[in-house]
Amino acid sequence: MAKRNFIKLVQVVKKGNAVTDTEGNAKYDTFITPTQIPFRKIYDAADLMDGASDENTSAQENIDQMLDMVVDIYNNQFTKDDLLDRLHAPDAVEELQQQIQFIAQGQMDEERKKELARII
């Protein structure tokens, strides 16, 4: 079985308001990685992870690179703007790092594995 990953983006309506259920919980769109991810993406992800500590790269440039990489990993199922507008800010950088780490190392935590098993 191919290793896969997923990302959840909040559903939004105009003006950036989240779509909620009757209990006020945000609703999400779930995207799953392709069944085959080219080795080149691992190569690029490893390079990006090494560049994360580059003194010449600003924090915003680093985030831009991570956003572009995640969009590429998911074969453009969503856009960079979708990530900027639909990821929850307190968790966004960690989520991007986990997505890239999955590509670079093929690993994810147990909780995420269980949730992926429910989705697929």
Side-chain angles (χ1 to χ4, degrees):
M1 179 179 205
K3 287 186 176 183
R4 304 204 49 200
N5 198 4
F6 67 94
I7 190 168
K8 289 185 173 189
L9 302 178
V10 70
Q11 294 179 1
V12 293
V13 292
K14 291 181 183 176
K15 298 182 185 174
N17 295 323
V19 175
T20 58
D21 61 18
T22 56
E23 297 166 1
N25 299 314
K27 292 185 178 183
Y28 294 88
D29 291 321
T30 302
F31 302 91
I32 300 174
T33 57
T35 54
Q36 198 280 330
I37 299 170
F39 182 68
R40 176 171 302 281
K41 291 186 184 184
I42 295 171
Y43 179 81
D44 292 343
D47 189 46
L48 179 59
M49 294 302 283
D50 286 343
S53 62
D54 185 354
E55 294 175 7
N56 298 324
T57 304
S58 73
Q60 188 171 4
E61 289 171 326
N62 191 15
I63 291 171
D64 280 339
Q65 291 173 346
M66 289 192 295
L67 291 166
D68 290 338
M69 175 63 69
V70 172
V71 169
D72 187 42
I73 290 167
Y74 283 84
N75 287 342
N76 300 304
Q77 294 180 60
F78 45 82
T79 66
K80 183 176 175 179
D81 282 334
D82 286 330
L83 291 173
L84 287 168
D85 295 335
R86 298 171 60 190
L87 280 175
H88 184 51
D91 305 323
V93 172
E94 181 180 350
E95 179 66 31
L96 294 172
Q97 290 170 337
Q98 287 178 356
Q99 292 293 325
I100 293 167
Q101 182 177 5
F102 169 76
I103 295 302
Q105 300 173 357
Q107 298 174 351
M108 67 175 68
D109 63 35
E110 290 302 315
E111 183 179 329
R112 194 170 193 90
K113 285 180 186 178
K114 288 177 186 176
E115 190 165 351
L116 178 63
R118 282 195 320 256
I119 294 169
I120 295 181

